[in-house]
Amino acid sequence: MKKIKNFSIIAHIDHGKSTLADRILDTCQAVSERDKQEQILDSMELERERGITIKLNSVRLNYQDPRTKEDYILNLIDTPGHVDFTYEVSRSLASSEAALLVVDSTQGVQPQTIANMYLALENNLEIIPVINKIDMQNANIEKTKEDIEKTLGIDASEAILVSAKKGLNIDKLFDAIIDRVPNAEVKDDLPLKALVFDSYYDTYRGIVLFVRVVEGVLKKNDRLKFVQKPDSKFDIIDLGFSVPQEQTTNEITSGEVGWIVINNRDIKSTLVGGTITHINNDIEPLKGYKQLKPMVFSGFYPIDASKYQLLEEALEKISLSDSSLSYEKETSQALGHGFRVGFLGLLHLEIIQERIEREFNIGLIATAPSVIYRLTLTNKTVKYVQNPADFPDKTFIHTIEEPYVRLSLFSPQEYVGKLMELIHEKRGRYIKLETVSETMNALIYEMPLNEMVFNFFNSVKSISKGYASFDYELIDYKVGDLVKMEILIHNEKVDAFSLIVDRSHAYFMGRNLVSKLKDLIPRQNFEIPIQAALGGKILARETVKAYRKDVTAKLYGGDVSRKKKLLQKQKRGKKKMKMIGSVEIPQEAFIKALKTNDN
C-alpha cells in the first residue's frame, strides 16, 4: 500500500515559501545538478523577475524516511503569498491534508499569514508552523513563537526552526511531515471522484487538467464528465505526474495528485474547482472552494485593432490557468473594441496585463481601474455598474453606493501617524488601533475600495519604507457623494478618461488629469481646450496652444494697417479650422495618462 502525504506551503509574501520548496526538492533529489536553479517551482519568467509566486505549482516526490526506511510519496503544492492570489491558495488547500505555515522570524506574523491560516482551518487541515530565516542577524525566534501563539492561537512549542536558504534543520521538517501529515485515504474501489484544482492550455496537446483523485482510479482513454456540467464529456488522452518534470503513467489512484490531457479543446467547457467522474456515474460533487467575485475592473484594448481576436483568445487561455479572471466584450468611442476585465486586485491586473503582452505579443491599453457601483434609480430599480461610461444621467439616479472594505494595516510604530493621515485622505473610517507586539501595530479601518485602486499600495510602501503590509476584505456597499467626472477634448467627451470620484476629490483629480493630457496631446494648427467637467460645470481647463506662422515676416514697411489686415485674416482662418478640425489623440497619450493616473 502506498503511503501518500499531500501538503501545501502557505505564508505571507516573501517569507521564503519557494526557497523552502527548493530545499525539499533537493532533499528528495528531484532535480538533477544540471537543471538546478533557484525558485524552481516558479516556472514563469514574470515570477522570477519579481521574486513572487503567481501560480500554484504541484510536484510529486519520492522520499525514504531514514528512521524507519519506509518509502513515502509526497505531493507538495507551492502557493502564492499575495492577497490578490488568495484564490490560488484556496484551490491548493482543497487538494491537501496539511499545510506548512511558514513565518519569517525577522517579520513575525503578517496579514496574509492570518488569512491563509483561516483558509487552512476552513479545509480542516493539519497546520504545521515553520519558522524560517533563523540564520538572519535580526531573527527573533522567541518573539515569533509568541506572535504565532497570540495571533494565530497555535501551539508554537513544536514549530520547526529552519533556514531555507542555508538548508538548516530541513531533516527535522521532513520528520514533522512524516509524523504529522495524515496519510491520504485510499478508496480505489469506489466510483471515480476527482477534484480539478488547476489547468492550463498547451498549444500542441490542448487542455491539461491538474487533479486530486479522492475516490476511484483514473486511467487512459476513460470517458469523463464534469459533475457540475454533465454535457461536457471528454476522453483522457494522456496522464501522469509532475516530478517536477512530466512523467507519464498508466493510472492515477485515489489519494494521488497528477495531470491529465483531455481531447476537448473547448476552454469554456472546463471548470477549475469542479469534480470529474466517469460519464455513467451519478455522484454528488466534492466541496470545492468558493468562487471569488472580481473587485477591480479595467478595460483592455489592443493598440493594434487587428489583434482584437487574438486578445480574446489570449484572455480565454489565461482564464483557463487563472479561473478568478472574468471578462466581457465592450466598445469605446475612443479606443474601439475591447474587453471589460475583472480582477481580484491591482497586482492581479498588472500581472495579467504583462502576461498578455509577453506571452501573446499583444500591445495593450488598460483604462483606469474602477469598482462595481450600486445605483438606485429614481424609479426604485437597482442597477450595478462597473464602467463609468455606462452611468445614466444624474437626473435618473437617486443614490450611488460604493463597495467598502475592512482594512487591516500592519506597521511598525514609527510609521503609524503618517499612514493614518494617508488613510484619512482616502476617506477611511477609523475603527481601532491594535497592538500586535512591542514594535508592530495594526490599524483597522473601513475604507472605500475605489480609494485603494488609485496608488494606495505604492503610497503605503513609500511611507513605511516597505515595512508595512495590509490585508482587506469586502464588507458592504455604503452610500457616497459620488459623481461622474468627464474629460472633454476639443469639446468632445472621451469616454476612456471618464472616472467616478468622490465630490471632494473631483477638482484635484480633474486638474491633475487635464494638466497631464496637455503635455501628452500634440499641438495642432488650432487651439485645443482640454476640460474636466461634472455635468455642465467645468472644474479645470488647460489649453494646447496652436502652431502660429509669422504671416507678417514678409512685410518690410508701409502702413500698420497692412500688418493688422494679415493678422485678422490669420485669426479668421484659425477660427474656421477650430470649428471643422478634429483632434487625433495618440495611443501614447492614453497609455501614459491612464497608467500614471493617481491622486
Side-chain angles (χ1 to χ4, degrees):
M1 189 72 73
K2 290 177 182 175
K3 291 189 176 178
I4 304 166
K5 307 276 186 182
N6 298 319
F7 63 96
S8 302
I9 305 181
I10 55 175
H12 188 82
I13 191 168
D14 205 28
H15 277 209
K17 296 178 308 305
S18 298
T19 311
L20 188 62
D22 286 349
R23 296 296 79 77
I24 292 173
L25 264 65
D26 288 349
T27 305
C28 295
Q29 298 177 339
V31 184
S32 65
E33 286 296 327
R34 186 182 63 183
D35 296 329
K36 270 189 185 177
Q37 56 180 336
E38 286 187 13
Q39 294 172 265
I40 196 155
L41 293 185
D42 291 345
S43 51
M44 222 184 286
E45 183 188 341
L46 202 54
E47 292 179 310
R48 296 185 169 284
E49 274 182 28
R50 289 174 171 254
I52 59 173
T53 304
I54 295 165
K55 282 286 303 152
L56 65 85
N57 207 340
S58 66
V59 62
R60 176 188 171 106
L61 305 166
N62 294 310
Y63 177 72
Q64 187 182 70
D65 186 355
R67 300 170 298 177
T68 60
K69 303 301 179 189
E70 282 189 276
D71 291 323
Y72 291 87
I73 293 168
L74 308 181
N75 285 310
L76 156 68
I77 306 176
D78 183 25
T79 65
H82 195 279
V83 64
D84 283 10
F85 303 109
T86 301
Y87 193 64
E88 297 280 318
V89 180
S90 70
R91 300 212 309 263
S92 66
L93 294 179
S95 313
S96 307
E97 267 80 39
L100 303 182
L101 184 70
V102 181
V103 182
D104 185 337
S105 62
T106 65
Q107 294 182 46
V109 173
Q110 296 285 309
Q112 203 56 26
T113 318
I114 302 166
N116 286 336
M117 191 205 69
Y118 285 134
L119 279 175
L121 289 175
E122 282 173 24
N123 284 277
N124 297 317
L125 302 190
E126 175 72 28
I127 297 172
I128 302 171
V130 179
I131 298 175
N132 191 21
K133 304 187 185 181
I134 59 168
D135 58 315
M136 298 285 280
Q137 205 168 3
N138 56 339
N140 192 336
I141 296 165
E142 291 308 314
K143 185 74 190 61
T144 307
K145 282 186 177 181
E146 197 179 307
D147 260 11
I148 291 170
E149 290 183 351
K150 277 187 180 176
T151 315
L152 304 179
I154 299 174
D155 180 15
S157 60
E158 293 184 19
I160 317 300
L161 310 179
V162 301
S163 166
K165 196 169 185 179
K166 292 192 174 176
L168 293 175
N169 295 339
I170 298 299
D171 55 334
K172 291 180 182 174
L173 179 66
F174 271 92
D175 291 348
I177 291 168
I178 298 303
D179 296 341
R180 294 165 65 178
V181 176
N183 288 334
E185 289 185 46
V186 177
K187 299 176 181 177
D188 292 352
D189 52 336
L190 293 175
L192 176 67
K193 198 182 275 191
L195 179 72
V196 177
F197 66 90
D198 199 12
S199 60
Y200 72 93
Y201 188 87
D202 185 289
T203 310
Y204 303 104
R205 298 184 295 174
I207 296 171
V208 182
L209 304 177
F210 287 92
V211 294
R212 158 72 196 273
V213 180
V214 179
E215 295 172 4
V217 179
L218 271 176
K219 294 181 181 176
K220 204 169 182 177
N221 301 320
D222 276 359
R223 292 275 290 152
L224 304 175
K225 67 177 181 183
F226 277 97
V227 176
Q228 293 90 340
K229 289 184 177 180
D231 297 335
S232 57
K233 295 172 183 173
F234 51 89
D235 298 338
I236 296 180
I237 301 172
D238 199 5
L239 71 166
F241 306 111
S242 299
V243 291
Q245 298 81 21
E246 287 191 351
Q247 183 184 80
T248 55
T249 185
N250 295 320
E251 62 180 25
I252 303 174
T253 58
S254 60
E256 293 187 312
V257 173
W259 52 263
I260 59 172
V261 180
I262 62 174
N263 66 346
N264 187 345
R265 284 182 174 256
D266 180 11
I267 291 170
K268 290 175 182 170
S269 69
T270 59
L271 183 67
V272 174
T275 304
I276 55 173
T277 188
H278 292 119
I279 54 169
N280 299 323
N281 291 345
D282 184 20
I283 61 165
E284 284 293 310
L286 292 162
K287 284 184 181 177
Y289 19 80
K290 59 184 178 184
Q291 180 71 44
L292 295 186
K293 290 181 181 176
M295 298 176 79
V296 176
F297 291 84
S298 176
F300 274 13
Y301 296 86
I303 291 174
D304 180 355
S306 65
K307 291 193 173 181
Y308 172 76
Q309 202 64 44
L310 292 174
L311 176 58
E312 184 171 18
E313 288 173 19
L315 285 167
E316 268 190 5
K317 288 173 182 176
I318 285 182
S319 67
L320 186 65
S321 65
D322 185 349
S323 49
S324 60
L325 189 73
S326 66
Y327 62 93
E328 59 185 39
K329 294 176 182 178
E330 75 168 6
T331 307
S332 160
Q333 290 175 356
L335 302 174
H337 295 289
F339 296 88
R340 195 79 185 161
V341 190
F343 307 93
L344 298 180
L346 284 177
L347 180 65
H348 192 203
L349 187 160
E350 207 178 312
I351 293 297
I352 296 298
Q353 186 178 350
E354 278 202 52
R355 283 188 66 186
I356 290 172
E357 289 176 345
R358 286 183 186 207
E359 294 172 28
F360 302 93
N361 198 26
I362 301 170
L364 286 180
I365 296 173
T367 61
S370 65
V371 298
I372 297 181
Y373 298 93
R374 185 164 68 192
L375 278 56
T376 305
L377 305 180
T378 47
N379 62 3
K380 304 297 180 190
T381 58
V382 175
K383 184 179 181 181
Y384 288 88
V385 180
Q386 47 176 274
N387 188 347
D390 295 337
F391 262 66
D393 189 271
K394 65 178 181 181
T395 54
F396 297 107
I397 302 173
H398 182 255
T399 56
I400 303 177
E401 294 171 280
E402 60 183 328
Y404 266 70
V405 295
R406 183 182 173 88
L407 174 74
S408 304
L409 195 151
F410 289 71
S411 168
Q413 176 68 43
E414 66 244 54
Y415 307 118
V416 166
K418 286 188 177 178
L419 287 170
M420 288 179 86
E421 282 177 28
L422 171 71
I423 300 170
H424 284 296
E425 281 172 21
K426 299 275 188 181
R427 298 189 288 132
R429 298 175 184 173
Y430 176 80
I431 304 296
K432 60 181 174 179
L433 173 67
E434 291 180 350
T435 304
V436 178
S437 64
E438 292 170 14
T439 55
M440 187 72 71
N441 287 332
L443 291 167
I444 313 297
Y445 273 82
E446 283 182 5
M447 180 174 162
L449 178 60
N450 188 34
E451 295 290 348
M452 288 188 72
V453 302
F454 287 115
N455 210 33
F456 182 70
F457 180 76
N458 289 341
S459 299
V460 168
K461 290 295 174 192
S462 174
I463 289 170
S464 67
K465 298 182 173 59
Y467 285 104
S469 57
F470 63 89
D471 189 17
Y472 58 90
E473 59 176 334
L474 197 62
I475 47 174
D476 201 4
Y477 278 84
K478 297 190 180 185
V479 175
D481 187 11
L482 301 168
V483 287
K484 178 182 175 181
M485 186 178 75
E486 293 173 315
I487 299 296
L488 286 74
I489 296 177
H490 197 49
N491 301 317
E492 285 188 20
K493 292 175 184 174
V494 182
D495 58 356
F497 293 128
S498 297
L499 293 171
I500 303 302
V501 295
D502 183 70
R503 192 183 295 275
S504 62
H505 291 179
Y507 168 70
F508 300 102
M509 294 189 76
R511 188 183 65 186
N512 285 350
L513 193 49
V514 295
S515 62
K516 209 172 289 178
L517 286 169
K518 181 192 173 187
D519 298 330
L520 295 170
I521 293 173
R523 292 171 71 186
Q524 310 282 333
N525 284 322
F526 54 90
E527 200 175 75
I528 305 169
I530 304 169
Q531 299 162 309
L534 290 185
K537 183 182 176 185
I538 303 299
L539 294 178
R541 171 180 169 139
E542 291 284 354
T543 305
V544 178
K545 297 293 182 188
Y547 284 123
R548 185 174 176 274
K549 183 181 176 183
D550 187 1
V551 290
T552 62
K554 61 186 177 182
L555 298 180
Y556 51 86
D559 197 277
V560 72
S561 60
R562 291 180 68 198
K563 189 175 182 179
K564 284 182 179 176
K565 192 176 178 182
L566 283 171
L567 290 171
Q568 286 298 326
K569 186 180 177 183
Q570 184 189 41
K571 192 175 180 182
R572 286 195 299 274
K574 293 281 185 193
K575 191 173 182 182
K576 189 177 179 183
M577 286 174 74
K578 189 173 181 179
M579 287 168 66
I580 63 170
S582 62
V583 181
E584 283 290 321
I585 305 171
Q587 301 283 15
E588 298 79 44
F590 285 106
I591 295 167
K592 288 177 182 172
L594 295 173
K595 211 169 196 176
T596 58
N597 189 23
D598 58 64
N599 51 344

